[in-house]
């Protein structure tokens, strides 16, 4: 049990670092000082792979750290919550569906997680800039969400085909 917790902590820290790097490497500016990035891809892979609490922390810490390191410090607290809750959305949808169609679960939970991200940033930016101006970032966040979901589904398929998750012996709870 102790070794499993240590392994999950280490893998979660690696996911947080990957989220941070994926968020910082490609940055396409959006109208209200934000940016489109590839971090959501790694967040969704973490959500599909790790137990909920570990995935939440990996997504939240990695994304918030990217904001701080990129000069978007005002966004960091909201980003921590929004990105962490994306993992919770994936977890809850997966638990509610209990389907024998894992691809459907991943796509539906990923779509809902990305819609949460769009709504979360709209609300946060609405308080920062006003709700009417915040509408300008919705299309950009949707593009980020769609790209993140497509890449995550492809990446998780590759990881499953190569049996990477089995080799790591990650047990989802």
């Amino acid at each position: 049990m102790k070794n499993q917790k240590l392994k999950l902590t280490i893998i979660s820290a690696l996911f947080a670092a990957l989220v941070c790097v994926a968020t910082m490497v490609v940055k396409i500016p959006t109208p209200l000082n934000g940016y489109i990035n590839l971090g959501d891809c790694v967040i969704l892979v973490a959500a599909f792979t790790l137990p909920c609490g570990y995935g939440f922390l990996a997504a939240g810490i990695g994304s918030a750290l990217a904001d701080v390191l990129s000069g978007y410090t005002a966004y960091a607290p909201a980003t921590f919550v929004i990105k962490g809750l994306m993992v919770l959305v994936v977890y809850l949808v997966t638990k509610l569906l209990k389907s024998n169609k894992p691809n459907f679960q991943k796509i539906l939970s990923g779509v809902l997680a990305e819609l949460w991200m769009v709504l979360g940033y709209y609300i946060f930016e609405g308080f920062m800039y006003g709700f009417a101006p915040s509408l300008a970032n919705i299309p950009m966040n949707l593009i980020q969400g769609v790209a993140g979901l497509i890449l995550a589904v492809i990446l998780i398929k590759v990881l499953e085909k190569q049996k990477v998750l089995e080799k790591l012996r990650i047990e989802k709870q």
Side-chain angles (χ1 to χ4, degrees):
M1 185 66 158
K2 206 174 202 181
N3 287 338
Q4 180 68 7
K5 284 185 179 184
L6 178 60
K7 183 191 318 184
L8 284 170
T9 300
I10 292 167
I11 293 169
S12 299
L14 290 171
F15 266 113
L18 288 171
V19 168
C20 182
V21 169
T23 302
M24 293 178 69
V25 167
V26 175
K27 285 196 256 188
I28 301 167
T30 60
L32 295 179
N33 277 343
Y35 56 94
I36 294 176
N37 62 75
L38 297 177
D40 285 12
C41 167
V42 182
I43 289 169
L44 290 175
V45 171
F48 298 150
T49 306
L50 296 171
C52 186
Y54 290 93
F56 181 103
L57 290 173
I61 291 169
S63 299
L65 185 59
D67 279 350
V68 170
L69 294 174
S70 298
Y72 294 89
T73 308
Y75 275 74
T79 292
F80 177 85
V81 173
I82 292 166
K83 299 296 184 164
L85 288 176
M86 286 175 65
V87 175
L88 181 62
V89 168
V90 169
Y91 173 79
L92 292 174
V93 170
T94 302
K95 285 293 179 191
L96 287 174
L97 284 181
K98 292 190 179 183
S99 169
N100 59 351
K101 298 178 181 177
N103 291 335
F104 176 72
Q105 282 182 322
K106 285 179 178 69
I107 292 169
L108 180 61
S109 65
V111 165
L112 294 175
E114 293 296 355
L115 287 174
W116 155 250
M117 180 270 296
V118 172
L119 177 64
Y121 279 114
Y122 170 71
I123 292 169
F124 173 70
E125 291 171 343
F127 285 110
M128 282 186 71
Y129 307 112
F131 287 94
S134 295
L135 291 170
N137 270 354
I138 289 177
M140 304 305 265
N141 284 332
L142 285 170
I143 290 168
Q144 176 176 305
V146 169
L149 178 58
I150 290 169
L151 292 171
V153 169
I154 292 169
L155 187 54
I156 201 75
K157 284 292 167 202
V158 169
L159 292 174
E160 288 171 351
K161 186 172 183 163
Q162 297 298 317
K163 301 185 191 290
V164 171
L165 305 178
E166 288 177 30
K167 291 173 186 170
L168 290 173
R169 291 189 186 95
I170 298 173
E171 299 170 18
K172 281 212 53 151
Q173 296 162 342

